[in-house]
Amino acid sequence: MPRLLQGGQNLYGHRVGILMIEGRFPRPPGAIGNAATFPFPVMHHVVRGFSGSRMVRDVGALDPDSPAFLDAIAPWLAGARHLEDQGCRAITTSCGFAALLQRHLLEAVSVPVFASSLMLIPFIAATLRRTRRVGVVTAEAASLSARHLRAVGVDPATIHVIGMEGCPQFAATAWQDRRWLDLDAAEAEAVDVARRLVAAAPDTGAILLECSLLPPYAAAIQEAVGLPVFDFTHLVSLAHSACARTPFAGLL
């Protein structure tokens, strides 16, 4: 019998599409913008004109129900539609602050949307004793509002938050788009922030790295604090696994 293939898109082999902020800074393995981060193919789409600063600070300051917000996020919705048109069966982003876009993205496409790493918090919290909290290391604590958290079903009172403020390596790339990175210094910054979080909140039972630039340092953070460490790569891997099921193999 002939094997007939159904087309309709330009590229094939992927299941997850990732909406990327625009930036020329280095993205080492582990960062969501490095294709080698995942053991499966993904499709990246850069949302032009959206730097980390614009997404986190400018859009984050707008009312998600306002016309100004809808105008601002139009390129994200168009990007999501493009990824769906190219065969993506799930869509994520590269910024935890895109939590504010979750419901708008859902209305724009017909495939599942995993807009923010913050969506992992309820899952992580369910694994911890009631006396333990999820610690969140975010790009900028001052910009992570209760609106971001509630948009993905998180009670702000149930977590501990610390930001990467005061970290020059992180700031130079994430905010200033510097095109070189001292990887060892950046790792040291991330480890120090995580240590300060646990020292200030000893009831922390697990850590979520909100920013998709932080997973390259997850192993070092875990070694330093001795806690489970979750990040954006878990969200992408979960979405892929759900949309690319394969038969189990083995003996009965």
Side-chain angles (χ1 to χ4, degrees):
M1 295 293 292
R3 292 182 293 172
L4 302 178
L5 301 180
Q6 180 66 44
Q9 60 205 58
N10 295 303
L11 300 173
Y12 296 85
H14 54 275
R15 290 295 182 269
V16 176
I18 304 176
L19 294 167
M20 297 290 302
I21 63 169
E22 187 173 21
R24 301 288 179 147
F25 51 82
R27 290 183 168 98
I32 202 170
N34 187 315
T37 293
F38 305 104
F40 47 81
V42 297
M43 177 175 282
H44 293 95
H45 174 79
V46 177
V47 183
R48 299 297 181 187
F50 265 85
S51 64
S53 179
R54 185 177 179 196
M55 185 67 208
V56 172
R57 297 167 176 170
D58 300 340
V59 173
L62 298 174
D63 179 353
D65 294 315
S66 68
F69 182 87
L70 294 177
D71 287 343
I73 68 169
W76 289 83
L77 305 184
R81 295 186 186 103
H82 168 73
L83 290 173
E84 182 180 26
D85 182 64
Q86 287 301 306
C88 294
R89 299 181 185 176
I91 293 171
T92 74
T93 79
S94 65
C95 182
F97 285 78
L100 291 179
L101 279 62
Q102 174 68 20
R103 64 184 176 92
H104 300 288
L105 289 169
L106 285 174
E107 294 170 358
V109 296
S110 60
V111 298
V113 175
F114 303 75
S116 171
S117 54
L118 298 173
M119 298 173 76
L120 292 170
I121 293 176
F123 166 76
I124 301 169
T127 72
L128 303 177
R129 296 177 63 180
R130 293 178 61 187
T131 56
R132 306 286 269 177
R133 295 286 181 266
V134 178
V136 178
V137 179
T138 182
E140 190 168 76
S143 295
L144 186 62
S145 70
R147 290 188 293 115
H148 291 91
L149 297 167
R150 292 187 176 120
V152 289
V154 176
D155 180 354
T158 63
I159 62 174
H160 301 301
V161 177
I162 191 170
M164 295 295 291
E165 289 95 331
C167 297
Q169 288 296 322
F170 182 85
T173 49
W175 308 128
Q176 300 160 25
D177 200 21
R178 190 181 68 189
R179 298 194 181 191
W180 61 272
L181 173 68
D182 184 331
L183 193 61
D184 292 332
E187 179 177 275
E189 288 178 350
V191 169
D192 177 67
V193 170
R195 280 180 169 149
R196 287 193 280 116
L197 168 64
V198 174
D203 62 339
T204 300
I207 289 177
L208 171 68
L209 307 178
E210 168 274 321
C211 180
S212 67
L213 300 180
L214 295 177
Y217 321 120
I221 289 172
Q222 184 170 74
E223 183 177 0
V225 301
L227 295 172
V229 178
F230 297 83
D231 60 54
F232 233 123
T233 66
H234 292 108
L235 191 72
V236 176
S237 296
L238 175 66
H240 173 82
S241 296
C243 295
R245 299 306 303 259
T246 58
F248 292 100
L251 300 176
L252 179 62

